[in-house]
Amino acid sequence: MHLQANDVVMKFKGVTALDGVDMELRKGEIVGLIGPNGSGKTTFLNVLSGVFTPTNGNFRMGDRQWSKVSLREAARLGIRRTFQNIRLFPSFTVMETVEVASAWLDKGDRRENAQIALDALNFGQYRDRIASELSYGMQRRLEIARAIAGRLEFLLVDEPTAGLNHGESQDIVEVLQRIRGQRGCGIVLIDHDLNVIMNVCDRVIVLAEGKIISSGTPQQVRSDPKVIAAYLGS
Ligand SMILES: Nc1ncnc2c1ncn2[C@@H]1O[C@H](COP(=O)(O)OP(=O)(O)O)[C@@H](O)[C@H]1O
Ligand SMILES: [Mg+2]
């Protein structure tokens, strides 16, 4: 199954954050989304996941097509996400955090779905810990666990390795690969760490000023003069 974005435009008052983005995402594929600060990466995840309604454009997945969708409807379609800044419910336990997400989707057995998600991130002995008392790295992992409980077609992750050390970042890379393998979902990964992107992505898409300026294999994109000029530097 494919998830397609067609001619997506997002304007905020004076700012055009997305300026006609076309993208086709496939299940089983890990796609890196990179570009300078303010190039529209987070905004793209926001419109794809129903946080914002785009100014123009539409989406298609399987036989469904829409131009406007709520965060919950998108989640029920299996389009799931994490946030650039961690957004956990502070006083919930690990298990409760993931169970609530799975109840919110209203599909299947929420306890079983929560357990599957926690197992994928090796949360075993942490399940009764309070979310806000976890280390920063574990909180980042919990965000991912919450995003994969229940129906999962496409997982959108916004800078999951921000603030993590090398070993913790490597763990996140392995987690994403494991989720893709176990669940067969497509993944869109935004990350500033190019080593992470180059290691894990099948395909990389580069945004600059709200437009796609390059896409291809990690090697193709890394040597594209347009990408070097706009993002990578000399
Ligand atoms: N909610 C918002 N209101 C107004 N402007 C926004 C909002 N979200 C993003 N923008 C603007 O849209 C542009 C793209 O931002 P963003 O998608 O966060 O970029 P990136 O994630 O690539 O750093 C920036 O100019 C940003 O200031
Ligand atoms: Mg961002």
Side-chain angles (χ1 to χ4, degrees):
M1 189 154 54
H2 296 182
L3 172 57
Q4 224 170 303
N6 302 306
D7 194 23
V8 173
V9 174
M10 183 76 214
K11 292 187 179 169
F12 299 104
K13 298 207 170 92
V15 179
T16 302
L18 296 171
D19 194 3
V21 172
D22 294 303
M23 202 180 290
E24 184 176 272
L25 304 167
R26 299 160 205 148
K27 288 193 69 180
E29 188 182 43
I30 302 183
V31 172
L33 187 57
I34 64 174
N37 277 328
S39 57
K41 304 181 298 295
T42 295
T43 301
F44 186 71
L45 294 202
N46 282 337
V47 296
L48 203 51
S49 64
V51 172
F52 296 140
T53 300
T55 313
N56 185 50
N58 58 62
F59 305 95
R60 179 192 290 276
M61 188 175 77
D63 55 9
R64 302 263 317 227
Q65 188 179 331
W66 65 91
S67 53
K68 183 179 163 74
V69 72
S70 70
L71 184 63
R72 187 174 196 168
E73 286 163 338
R76 284 181 170 167
L77 290 171
I79 302 169
R80 312 289 301 277
R81 68 167 303 168
T82 67
F83 292 91
Q84 184 168 349
N85 303 308
I86 296 177
R87 294 190 192 174
L88 292 169
F89 320 117
S91 60
F92 282 36
T93 67
V94 164
M95 186 66 183
E96 285 164 351
T97 300
V98 181
E99 259 193 279
V100 161
S102 127
W104 184 67
L105 285 180
D106 202 24
K107 276 265 187 230
D109 180 327
R110 69 178 199 199
R111 184 147 277 244
E112 188 188 335
N113 287 340
Q115 196 58 59
I116 291 167
L118 291 176
D119 287 347
L121 283 111
N122 294 327
F123 259 105
Q125 74 276 35
Y126 289 93
R127 48 176 282 165
D128 296 319
R129 297 276 298 276
I130 302 294
S132 59
E133 293 171 3
L134 295 174
S135 69
Y136 176 78
M138 290 301 281
Q139 292 190 15
R140 284 243 165 246
R141 295 171 72 101
L142 182 54
E143 277 236 323
I144 297 174
R146 180 174 61 180
I148 66 168
R151 184 170 179 192
L152 176 64
E153 307 288 348
F154 290 91
L155 174 63
L156 318 176
V157 274
D158 199 349
E159 302 200 21
T161 72
L164 301 185
N165 66 34
H166 179 73
E168 291 169 327
S169 296
Q170 201 48 47
D171 285 347
I172 295 287
V173 164
E174 282 164 23
V175 158
L176 293 176
Q177 284 168 323
R178 191 175 336 139
I179 292 168
R180 184 255 300 263
Q182 286 174 349
R183 307 286 293 276
C185 60
I187 296 179
V188 178
L189 169 64
I190 297 177
D191 211 292
H192 278 298
D193 185 337
L194 279 185
N195 289 322
V196 167
I197 293 286
M198 298 296 162
N199 279 334
V200 74
C201 294
D202 304 305
R203 187 156 63 97
V204 178
I205 295 171
V206 188
L207 276 178
E209 297 176 352
K211 289 191 168 83
I212 294 178
I213 60 163
S214 183
S215 67
T217 64
Q219 290 71 21
Q220 286 167 341
V221 161
R222 188 164 44 185
S223 55
D224 182 337
K226 289 196 295 289
V227 178
I228 294 168
Y231 182 53
L232 298 178
S234 47

